[in-house]
Amino acid sequence: MPTPRQVYVAVIGVGGVGKAFLSQLQALKTRLAKARQPICLDLILVSRSSKTLFSESFRPLSLETWEQDLAASKQPVLDNEMLVEYLATAPEKVVLVDNTSSLAIAENYPRFLRKGVSIVTPNKKGFSDSYNLWQDMFAAASNGSGEGGYLFHESTVGAGLPVLSTLKELVETGDEVTKIEGVFSGTMSFLFNSFMPVAGGGGQFSAEVKKAKELGYTEPDPRDDLNGLDVARKLTILARLAGLPIESPTSFPVQSLIPRELETCQSGDEFLEKLPNFDSDMEALKKEAASEGKVVRFVGSIDVASKKVEVGLQKFDASHPIAALKGSDNIINFYTKRYGSNPLIIQGAGAGGDVTAMGVTGDLIKVLNRL
Amino acid sequence: MPTPRQVYVAVIGVGGVGKAFLSQLQALKTRLAKARQPICLDLILVSRSSKTLFSESFRPLSLETWEQDLAASKQPVLDNEMLVEYLATAPEKVVLVDNTSSLAIAENYPRFLRKGVSIVTPNKKGFSDSYNLWQDMFAAASNGSGEGGYLFHESTVGAGLPVLSTLKELVETGDEVTKIEGVFSGTMSFLFNSFMPVAGGGGQFSAEVKKAKELGYTEPDPRDDLNGLDVARKLTILARLAGLPIESPTSFPVQSLIPRELETCQSGDEFLEKLPNFDSDMEALKKEAASEGKVVRFVGSIDVASKKVEVGLQKFDASHPIAALKGSDNIINFYTKRYGSNPLIIQGAGAGGDVTAMGVTGDLIKVLNRL
């Protein structure tokens, strides 16, 4: 058996996704070590906002006890500058796993990449910020036009669903993507599947928002879902991969479900308290859709030819796949020249720690296949 | 700009898929030549059963005029032995693209692979034949447990739909696939969507088979679709990737839609002539399903835990995604531990030259990323 190749893994962010990733990393390490052509995956750094644990000598940290070890760490917290320096001096290939949702870290991706560090991440911020940052990242990455590390971000759209890999393959094999349409937010999916089920019924809009919050389907402050920005960020990423130079997630029409009068609320609680005053607007919309045999859903769409990107409420026939979604599932329809009138459809859970981490682990495997 | 890496491509089989592939290859070559880190893709061999055109000196053949050049070729037809020898002597990496449906060629995959030749193919035969051949192939391949060429076969199931890549990623990232269920045949999809649409109606079974044949949705002899073997081959491949050592596509229950009394028909025409005598059986099934608010569909399913693989007719609620399929679309539902009760679903055209070739071109790109 040949000598195992060594690859170092540095993990920043150890919330729900980060923890699930570290557990998947441990399983992957075991599987790879048993393989005929083994790769030795070693954890060399793990950090949360207030704590860092790293191996000064690049000897592997424990994947069993990292949580206690991190809690007990007295090492200095590394800022981005120090992190770049530390990873750049590693004697073997390094993959940085960014499980945060920090733009500040993402702004440093080009520097990491230029130093040969590969990056896999579910962090949408960098990929949906300025088009300049997008260009800088892919100008540096080896799977862009550069010669640095590799860069993959499958979980930035649809979590572990194979959305970005499918879009990339359509483009790379020369298909012409004409339109992308779908439900890109687990929160919005759950909310509208409850507010207006195909079978009829459903509660007042404000009550469904409250229920979604209580069940953990929304951000701590539900306004962060209802403003549509999360979906706009995902659409920005998809549109850029489809070839449109979208400047930012605010450079196209995004419908916010926060009533104008409530935009000045001081807190999420105040917002939730006042939202019932606006239920009649949503109820009117529901009645109008029902009278046409349709349901209301919160969707994003990209018309590639006309370069039109939109996020907001739309009505769909009860028989449409977008209407028939269940729970908090996402659905993504790719309309292309090759696929004709029936789109290529990907559907399933688009949020959750395990499935999001799975997209990250899948990206790590893509990097390992290329290193 | 660095010197382009050279990769040779040899294409056997130039029917609908082969022609579409060669056209995509030409577009890919142009795109790669423009890339920052170029790969020079050169065609060195193209063949059909009765003709071979190859470059004795490994100078590239023309991607513009290959069709006329092949027709005019006076070169000897290379048998498998000679083909292995020829490709093994190439001075650069070689990818063999097998667009045939020949088992004889597939039986030689292990030899090609051991000589370092990579293979991409939509040919189901080898992957669904004996389990020994499957093991031999992946024992030789670098993306198996060997050190030879790479081996990809995305288009053997669902054509260009990302079915196998998704299943592989679920398995490689440590998810537990519990069940796979779906409609795996464009022909069967079209046939049953016409025979028993969710909205009601549909003609007699034999009339729908005739219509499907006239529209080009069936094999020249429709018995080759109705015997269920095509679906059984795809299920064999999926089950093996999910970890089940399925011996062959005839080692599990496969329902044939050819009435026992017509098994001895001498020709497809005789079969089509006599099939109306058996319409009452299918009509009874249709009535029974309708009385339960269901529709009949021809599906394949794999229960991983109980190792049960099945192909045949099943009834589905009108609201089930499998019931709601359109045209000749395929649908594949992956039930896994991470995805819980709502499956990960992939849906879209699962047949046709362009989309099948797209899966092959996508596989070629995977090889190029690894070479």
Side-chain angles (χ1 to χ4, degrees):
Chain A
M1 211 185 263
T3 323
R5 285 188 295 140
Q6 187 139 24
V7 175
Y8 292 137
V9 179
V11 178
I12 49 180
V14 289
V17 175
K19 273 189 192 144
F21 170 77
L22 278 155
S23 145
Q24 292 179 19
L25 178 65
Q26 193 178 3
L28 179 66
K29 182 180 160 74
T30 309
R31 195 177 66 79
L32 288 174
K34 283 185 193 154
R36 175 78 187 73
Q37 297 176 302
I39 293 171
C40 187
L41 275 181
D42 284 324
L43 181 70
I44 54 161
L45 177 144
V46 58
S47 77
R48 63 171 87 242
S49 49
S50 57
K51 284 271 188 190
T52 303
L53 174 71
F54 62 98
S55 165
E56 287 175 55
S57 55
F58 296 102
R59 291 176 56 135
L61 304 176
S62 163
L63 277 164
E64 274 88 31
T65 62
W66 68 265
E67 205 161 355
Q68 303 93 289
D69 300 345
L70 175 61
S73 170
K74 299 269 186 284
Q75 289 177 303
V77 171
L78 301 186
D79 62 19
N80 285 324
E81 194 77 28
M82 292 153 76
L83 188 60
V84 172
E85 281 319 303
Y86 169 68
L87 297 181
T89 58
E92 306 283 348
K93 300 279 188 187
V94 178
V95 182
L96 173 65
V97 184
D98 173 15
N99 292 315
T100 74
S101 56
S102 153
L103 177 60
I105 290 168
E107 283 172 334
N108 282 283
Y109 287 173
R111 295 177 61 207
F112 285 109
L113 292 164
R114 282 194 295 267
K115 296 275 188 186
V117 174
S118 294
I119 299 173
V120 298
T121 180
N123 178 357
K124 282 185 283 293
K125 291 289 166 59
F127 300 93
S128 57
D129 200 70
S130 77
Y131 191 59
N132 264 346
L133 178 54
W134 172 277
Q135 286 180 304
D136 282 356
M137 292 193 280
F138 288 101
S142 267
N143 53 326
S145 55
E147 291 169 19
Y150 290 91
L151 177 62
F152 290 101
H153 56 107
E154 181 64 71
S155 286
T156 55
V157 180
L161 297 174
V163 177
L164 301 191
S165 56
T166 299
L167 176 55
K168 280 184 206 172
E169 187 160 306
L170 288 166
V171 171
E172 287 180 355
T173 63
D175 200 356
E176 197 181 301
V177 179
T178 52
K179 187 178 164 188
I180 305 172
E181 181 182 56
V183 173
F184 296 92
S185 153
T187 311
M188 291 296 203
S189 181
F190 180 83
L191 194 53
F192 282 87
N193 297 343
S194 310
F195 171 63
M196 195 173 183
V198 171
Q204 294 283 304
F205 187 69
S206 63
E208 296 296 348
V209 172
K210 238 179 208 160
K211 194 175 77 182
K213 179 176 153 61
E214 283 160 14
L215 290 172
Y217 283 110
T218 70
E219 297 292 320
D221 184 339
R223 292 177 298 178
D224 292 338
D225 294 299
L226 295 175
N227 64 14
L229 186 59
D230 172 70
V231 177
R233 287 193 179 279
K234 292 169 181 166
L235 270 278
T236 301
I237 295 169
L238 286 169
R240 286 173 177 174
L241 284 175
L244 301 182
I246 301 294
E247 188 41 48
S248 84
T250 55
S251 62
F252 51 85
V254 178
Q255 182 178 4
S256 168
L257 299 185
I258 300 173
R260 194 176 301 272
E261 294 85 343
L262 298 187
E263 276 172 3
T264 53
C265 284
Q266 297 298 307
S267 70
D269 287 342
E270 185 194 340
F271 168 76
L272 277 177
E273 202 176 291
K274 293 181 175 169
L275 189 59
N277 301 334
F278 300 86
D279 276 338
S280 56
D281 297 354
M282 290 301 283
E283 211 54 32
L285 200 61
K286 188 169 168 173
K287 278 214 180 98
E288 183 190 306
S291 74
E292 301 169 23
K294 296 185 173 180
V295 296
V296 177
R297 295 292 183 261
F298 192 86
V299 297
S301 67
I302 300 165
D303 187 304
V304 179
S306 68
K307 301 184 183 175
K308 209 170 131 190
V309 184
E310 271 184 314
V311 172
L313 294 172
Q314 276 188 41
K315 290 179 276 185
F316 291 89
D317 280 332
S319 67
H320 195 286
I322 285 183
L325 268 195
K326 294 214 172 71
S328 61
D329 277 7
N330 287 12
I331 184 169
I332 297 94
N333 297 285
F334 293 105
Y335 292 86
T336 82
K337 196 174 164 198
R338 283 185 198 140
Y339 278 91
S341 54
N342 289 356
L344 189 173
I345 303 177
I346 311 240
Q347 182 179 330
D354 279 345
V355 294
T356 306
M358 168 183 150
V360 180
T361 306
D363 282 349
L364 173 59
I365 293 171
K366 283 177 213 149
V367 173
L368 298 179
N369 284 333
R370 285 162 171 80
L371 279 181
Chain B
M1 209 184 263
T3 322
R5 284 188 296 139
Q6 188 138 24
V7 175
Y8 292 138
V9 180
V11 178
I12 49 180
V14 290
V17 175
K19 273 188 193 145
F21 170 77
L22 278 156
S23 144
Q24 292 179 20
L25 178 66
Q26 193 178 5
L28 179 65
K29 181 180 161 73
T30 308
R31 196 178 65 79
L32 288 173
K34 283 185 193 155
R36 176 76 187 75
Q37 296 175 302
I39 293 171
C40 187
L41 275 181
D42 283 325
L43 181 70
I44 54 162
L45 178 144
V46 58
S47 75
R48 63 171 88 243
S49 48
S50 56
K51 284 271 188 190
T52 303
L53 174 71
F54 62 98
S55 166
E56 286 175 55
S57 55
F58 296 103
R59 293 175 58 134
L61 304 176
S62 164
L63 277 164
E64 275 87 31
T65 61
W66 68 264
E67 204 161 355
Q68 303 93 290
D69 299 345
L70 176 60
S73 170
K74 299 268 185 284
Q75 289 177 304
V77 171
L78 300 186
D79 62 20
N80 285 322
E81 194 76 28
M82 292 152 77
L83 189 59
V84 172
E85 281 319 302
Y86 169 69
L87 298 181
T89 57
E92 304 283 348
K93 300 278 189 188
V94 178
V95 182
L96 173 66
V97 184
D98 172 16
N99 292 315
T100 74
S101 55
S102 153
L103 177 60
I105 291 168
E107 283 173 332
N108 281 283
Y109 287 174
R111 296 176 60 206
F112 286 109
L113 292 164
R114 281 194 296 267
K115 297 274 188 186
V117 173
S118 294
I119 299 172
V120 297
T121 180
N123 178 358
K124 283 186 283 292
K125 292 287 167 59
F127 301 94
S128 57
D129 199 71
S130 78
Y131 191 58
N132 264 348
L133 178 55
W134 172 276
Q135 286 180 305
D136 283 355
M137 291 192 282
F138 287 102
S142 268
N143 54 326
S145 55
E147 290 169 18
Y150 291 92
L151 176 63
F152 291 102
H153 56 105
E154 182 63 71
S155 287
T156 55
V157 180
L161 297 175
V163 177
L164 301 191
S165 57
T166 299
L167 176 55
K168 280 185 205 171
E169 186 160 308
L170 288 166
V171 171
E172 287 181 354
T173 63
D175 200 355
E176 198 182 300
V177 179
T178 52
K179 187 178 163 186
I180 305 172
E181 182 183 56
V183 173
F184 296 93
S185 154
T187 311
M188 291 296 202
S189 181
F190 180 83
L191 193 54
F192 282 88
N193 298 344
S194 310
F195 171 63
M196 195 174 183
V198 171
Q204 295 282 305
F205 188 69
S206 62
E208 296 295 349
V209 172
K210 238 179 208 161
K211 194 176 77 182
K213 178 177 153 63
E214 282 160 15
L215 291 171
Y217 282 109
T218 70
E219 296 292 321
D221 184 339
R223 291 177 297 179
D224 291 338
D225 295 299
L226 295 176
N227 64 15
L229 185 60
D230 172 71
V231 177
R233 289 193 177 279
K234 292 169 180 165
L235 270 278
T236 300
I237 295 170
L238 288 168
R240 286 172 176 174
L241 285 175
L244 301 182
I246 301 295
E247 188 42 47
S248 84
T250 55
S251 63
F252 51 85
V254 177
Q255 183 178 2
S256 169
L257 298 184
I258 300 173
R260 194 176 301 272
E261 295 85 343
L262 298 188
E263 276 172 5
T264 52
C265 284
Q266 296 299 306
S267 70
D269 286 342
E270 184 194 342
F271 168 76
L272 277 177
E273 203 175 291
K274 293 181 174 169
L275 189 60
N277 301 333
F278 300 86
D279 276 339
S280 57
D281 298 355
M282 291 299 284
E283 211 56 29
L285 199 62
K286 188 169 168 173
K287 279 215 179 97
E288 183 191 306
S291 74
E292 301 169 23
K294 296 184 174 180
V295 296
V296 177
R297 294 292 182 261
F298 193 86
V299 297
S301 67
I302 299 165
D303 187 306
V304 180
S306 68
K307 302 183 182 175
K308 209 170 131 190
V309 184
E310 272 183 315
V311 172
L313 294 172
Q314 276 188 41
K315 291 179 274 185
F316 290 89
D317 280 332
S319 66
H320 194 286
I322 285 183
L325 269 195
K326 294 212 173 71
S328 60
D329 278 7
N330 287 12
I331 183 169
I332 297 94
N333 296 285
F334 293 104
Y335 292 86
T336 81
K337 195 173 164 199
R338 282 185 198 139
Y339 278 91
S341 54
N342 289 356
L344 189 172
I345 302 177
I346 312 239
Q347 183 180 330
D354 279 345
V355 294
T356 305
M358 168 183 149
V360 181
T361 305
D363 282 349
L364 173 60
I365 293 171
K366 284 177 212 148
V367 173
L368 298 178
N369 284 332
R370 285 162 171 82
L371 280 181

